[in-house]
Amino acid sequence: MDITELILFQHEEQRRQFAVLDEIAGEGSEILGALWRRLAAFLEVHAEAEELYFYPEVLRLGHGAPGTHDGPEPETEDAIKDHNEIRDGIRTADANPVGSDGWWAGVRAARKANDEHMGEEEREDLADFRLHADLQTRHDIAVKFIAYEARHWAGIKPVDKDPEQYVEQHS
Ligand SMILES: [Fe+2]
Ligand SMILES: [Fe+2]
């Protein structure tokens, strides 16, 4: 296994699950709510697993986004900030009745934040890690990551992190 492949694959699954919500917009709140709950839990657990197992190793082994000389700190801060924005969108959706305008606004905010974040994460953090972490390390992180997700498949209580504090704690 390779954590960079696993994350990439899960991003595709997230895009697909958001697209499914478009398809079933008219199917009623019970179906919409069930599919949204699964996606929201997936997004939150994926972000938390990255914060627990991937980004500490990016800070340890990364050299920064390819083409820059900034080191891994700014790209990690960006990622944590993005994760907080994704969590914000989920919270907005969950504060509104499923299928209402407020709910869709939260879902769209989470989707937009996630789309922008995945692009950046793939271009910068995953690319940095492929260049600077060996395959055994990438395998070991993938195992911890997927085991965490399996243990928390039904979801977690999402916790925002202060990006600067996170980088300080893990540097
Ligand atoms: Fe990700
Ligand atoms: Fe992420």
Side-chain angles (χ1 to χ4, degrees), residues 67-125:
T68 70
H69 303 281
D70 297 337
E73 293 82 8
E75 66 182 61
T76 302
E77 269 185 35
D78 270 358
I80 305 303
K81 191 163 71 56
D82 292 351
H83 288 176
N84 291 341
E85 276 172 27
I86 296 163
R87 290 186 274 251
D88 278 349
I90 295 171
R91 259 193 298 271
T92 301
D94 287 343
N96 286 279
V98 174
S100 67
D101 289 348
W103 181 84
W104 276 110
V107 170
R108 289 199 188 95
R111 185 178 191 170
K112 189 163 180 280
N114 196 50
D115 283 345
E116 288 168 6
H117 170 62
M118 290 187 296
E120 204 173 358
E121 194 164 65
E122 289 165 14
R123 230 171 27 245
E124 299 185 352
D125 314 298

Side-chain angles (χ1 to χ4, degrees), residues 7 11 14 46 50 83 117-118 121:
I7 289 174
H11 288 177
Q14 289 166 11
H46 174 94
E50 287 179 349
H83 288 176
H117 170 62
M118 290 187 296
E121 194 164 65

